[in-house]
Amino acid sequence: MEISEPVRIHQGIVVGGINRENPAIREFNGIPYATAQRWSPPSAPPQWGATSRDVREFGPECIQPRSRYGSFVNQIIDGMGLSYFEKVAARIVISAQQTPPEAEDCLFLNVRTANLKGETPQPVMVWLHGGAHQYGSGSTAIYQSNALVEKGVVLVTINYRLGAFGYLAHPALTEEAGTSGNYGLLDQAAALAWVHENISAFGGDPANVTVFGESAGAQSITELMALPAADGLFHKVILESGASTGNVLHLKRAPYPGVLAAEEAGADFLSTLAPPAATAKDLRAIPAAAIISRSDARADLNGYFLPVVDGRVLPRTIGAAFRDGDVPRVAMLAGYNADEGSLFYGDFQSPTILRPQITGTLQEREKALAEVFGRNPAKALQALYGMDTLETWDKGAADMLGDDLFGVHMRFVGRQNAQNGEPTYLYHFTRVPPSKKQTIGAYHAAELSFVFDTHVRGMKITDSDRRLTDRMGSYWTNFARTGNPNGNGLPEWPAMTGDDDVWMKLDAQPEPIEGLRARKLDILEEALRNRIDAVAGRAPEPPPPPAPGENATVPVLGGE
């Protein structure tokens, strides 16, 4: 890119690039927003004073395993209904891509703006990428969107630490700092703090920041809503297929039989890489490559590398925080895709994340389902999802898995937000690949290229797809601007209220639908609430109304 005009931020002067496709847009990539030392909270970013820093190139990605992402992409290619030659071409393009540079000190962000010299600050959209908290980056091609910027926002994408490097807890680390884990979550809060301090230099409004993300990125947003360190750093949220209301991990105690405390999982993970008496300094000396190899060898422990309740950084479970209204009062746009389970069922072989590998005879499967949900709810779920025979089980189980992984959590956080009196809009993305041979439906992450208008070249995109792309970009940016996705020329998107279960179907003809999968999600939500209550304790009773002449008091919600 050609060099852009310089911009002064708190760390010094940065010089970005003029976007090749739209010369009105400026890109500032690879700006360090904090400094990462292994298994420590993020610290202040570097300063360079009067020296200009060239920020036209992306910074290194956070170190991560590479095999899982490739497997996910291959499933999408296989399920799109492409011809043999199209599949081969897609794999050739992917295999030709070089592995990007990566590092442990990887806390970089990217700013894309067309408002450097604008007199009116524009709304800011900060993107948190997905990837199961294990892989991904803010520099991934699908997130590099001119379309959102052209609709009048400043776009920020970020890296944050991942996997064991971002979330491992260990007794030696806790002994040193009083807690451990949650480093990736603190990275995200540090990025939001950087935006608050610096985004006005790029034409963005620090008083109008929307955090949006997909999958683990959306989960991260619900985690930030329960994180005291992020208070006041964002004003609206967009959650695409992810909410951490089912995460029950705790630093020191096991929430359920068979589920480890986070410190126990971390000690097990590092048991072959460091002696039991190893100090925090010893752990930081372990070669990064050894940690990546251990992640591949002990994939069963990677699920523990998530934010954990420790009573300090994260005071309480995310589910309990939403249940009790102990989260920021912000406008919310949230939803999920119609066939979320299609890419996950092959690995889970179960209709529920609570018990993988429900296989065997029909009677054995029914027994296992009843052990998770109770006899009558399990029977109802089996009937509602059409899992009545072995021949129909897999299709119904994949549908239920999508609702169990995503749907129930999206409706739960939406309902709680609406009951708090905040503007809340739910969506259901139902567009499927146009090929009659496709097998994955409206799969997990399918909405991304529509939000960002970054459809992969060579994929089949119809005229109705292009209209849907434009509409979704307008809905998203309208919401970022005002807290309401509606605008001129768009089908009306009704807000959810505490009583009305209304969703916007996003497809060739967007339209509101009421009671989406209502009975199915009701049963799954009852189980979710029971789990939240079991781990966090039941919701506190509301205080009695004050007697006449008495002053009302505000109840204080205790942490877990």
Side-chain angles (χ1 to χ4, degrees):
M1 292 184 290
E2 294 183 12
I3 290 177
S4 74
E5 50 272 74
V7 171
R8 179 174 290 279
I9 60 176
H10 284 196
Q11 296 146 267
I13 297 172
V14 292
V15 178
I18 299 173
N19 183 267
R20 295 183 181 92
E21 297 178 359
N22 184 343
I25 292 177
R26 303 292 186 264
E27 294 184 42
F28 299 83
N29 299 319
I31 302 175
Y33 67 83
T35 301
Q37 180 190 18
R38 186 190 298 179
W39 296 326
S40 295
S43 56
Q47 305 281 323
W48 50 90
T51 303
S52 296
R53 182 174 179 129
D54 188 332
V55 291
R56 286 177 290 173
E57 300 294 330
F58 293 116
E61 296 186 358
C62 293
I63 191 167
Q64 58 193 274
R66 296 288 168 178
S67 58
R68 295 181 205 119
Y69 179 74
S71 175
F72 182 78
V73 171
N74 277 327
Q75 285 188 73
I76 295 174
I77 292 174
D78 288 337
M80 291 282 286
L82 304 176
S83 69
Y84 171 79
F85 295 104
E86 288 170 331
K87 288 182 183 179
V88 170
R91 290 196 165 96
I92 289 174
V93 170
I94 292 171
S95 63
Q97 296 176 355
Q98 295 182 346
T99 301
E102 60 181 18
E104 288 196 58
D105 190 5
C106 58
L107 303 184
F108 298 95
L109 55 73
N110 318 297
V111 180
R112 192 171 290 226
T113 178
N115 198 43
L116 274 187
K117 298 178 180 179
E119 295 181 1
T120 303
Q122 291 183 338
V124 181
M125 298 184 73
V126 180
W127 175 254
L128 305 184
H129 68 79
H133 292 87
Q134 310 295 317
Y135 55 85
S137 78
S139 56
T140 302
I142 199 171
Y143 310 139
Q144 310 314 310
S145 174
N146 283 348
L148 295 179
V149 176
E150 289 165 350
K151 289 180 180 289
V153 302
V154 175
L155 176 64
V156 180
T157 62
I158 75 166
N159 294 349
Y160 55 92
R161 283 175 285 180
L162 302 163
F165 297 94
Y167 298 96
L168 179 136
H170 191 280
L173 299 172
T174 302
E175 182 179 359
E176 176 190 69
T179 186
S180 59
N182 293 321
Y183 308 113
L185 185 59
L186 291 171
D187 294 344
Q188 295 164 359
L192 291 172
W194 186 97
V195 167
H196 180 76
E197 294 175 355
N198 293 282
I199 203 63
S200 59
F202 300 92
D205 184 355
N208 190 5
V209 175
T210 297
V211 192
F212 70 131
E214 182 266 343
S215 196
Q219 291 173 350
S220 296
I221 295 169
T222 60
E223 294 151 9
L224 288 166
M225 293 177 75
L227 184 77
D231 283 352
L233 296 178
F234 55 92
H235 313 96
K236 307 177 189 70
V237 298
I238 299 177
L239 311 176
E240 301 173 27
S241 303
S244 279
T245 43
N247 180 356
V248 297
L249 296 178
H250 193 282
L251 179 67
K252 296 241 176 229
R253 65 172 182 259
Y256 294 124
V259 177
L260 301 174
E263 283 188 344
E264 293 175 322
D268 188 2
F269 181 84
L270 294 181
S271 61
T272 61
L273 304 178
T279 65
K281 181 179 179 180
D282 297 331
L283 300 184
R284 293 191 181 102
I286 299 171
I291 296 172
I292 292 294
S293 295
R294 184 67 168 163
S295 296
D296 291 332
R298 288 300 305 271
D300 59 307
L301 293 176
N302 289 328
Y304 288 95
F305 301 144
L306 301 171
V308 298
V309 173
D310 64 350
R312 296 179 56 169
V313 172
L314 197 58
R316 58 199 319 238
T317 61
I318 290 87
F322 273 90
R323 179 197 65 187
D324 301 340
D326 193 14
V327 293
R329 299 297 196 260
V330 294
M332 175 184 290
L333 189 155
Y336 74 119
N337 300 351
D339 301 292
E340 295 276 6
S342 63
L343 298 181
F344 298 99
Y345 185 71
D347 289 333
F348 276 94
Q349 289 293 301
S350 169
T352 175
I353 191 176
L354 300 175
R355 181 175 295 188
Q357 305 302 315
I358 293 183
T359 57
T361 67
L362 184 62
Q363 291 73 25
E364 289 170 333
R365 300 179 192 202
E366 291 173 338
K367 180 174 181 293
L369 201 63
E371 289 172 353
V372 175
F373 292 98
R375 183 175 179 275
N376 290 336
K379 282 290 184 185
L381 288 169
Q382 188 178 357
L384 287 166
Y385 284 99
M387 301 184 293
D388 300 308
T389 68
L390 287 178
E391 290 72 26
T392 62
W393 178 277
D394 284 348
K395 174 61 172 68
D399 291 342
M400 179 175 159
L401 179 63
D403 287 344
D404 194 49
L405 280 168
F406 302 104
V408 64
H409 302 283
M410 307 319 294
R411 195 184 72 168
F412 176 71
V413 296
R415 276 184 169 176
Q416 298 305 116
N417 204 60
Q419 289 172 5
N420 287 341
E422 295 304 315
T424 303
Y425 299 86
L426 295 183
Y427 75 82
H428 197 227
F429 182 85
T430 61
R431 182 269 185 189
V432 301
S435 171
K436 294 181 179 180
K437 297 180 181 180
Q438 68 84 23
T439 58
I440 52 179
Y443 58 91
H444 185 64
E447 87 289 353
L448 286 176
S449 59
F450 289 81
V451 170
F452 286 97
D453 192 6
T454 48
H455 296 287
V456 178
R457 292 179 181 176
M459 294 296 182
K460 294 181 173 69
I461 302 299
T462 65
D463 289 341
S464 63
D465 288 336
R466 298 193 185 284
R467 286 193 298 272
L468 178 60
T469 299
D470 184 64
R471 284 170 167 169
M472 288 180 63
S474 294
Y475 281 137
W476 263 236
T477 53
N478 288 345
F479 178 83
R481 187 172 296 109
T482 67
N484 184 331
N486 292 294
N488 292 334
L490 293 172
E492 185 70 17
W493 186 336
M496 183 186 198
T497 68
D499 299 321
D500 295 330
D501 183 11
V502 59
W503 304 66
M504 190 67 166
K505 184 180 78 169
L506 295 178
D507 208 328
Q509 297 296 327
E511 60 181 353
I513 51 178
E514 294 186 5
L516 174 72
R517 303 181 182 179
R519 181 59 183 144
K520 298 173 180 177
L521 297 182
D522 286 345
I523 298 172
L524 296 175
E525 184 174 322
E526 182 179 2
L528 171 64
R529 287 181 177 272
N530 288 339
R531 296 198 304 277
I532 293 171
D533 291 346
V535 172
R538 295 195 175 275
E541 294 293 329
E550 293 183 3
N551 292 325
T553 57
V554 178
V556 177
L557 300 178
E560 288 118 60

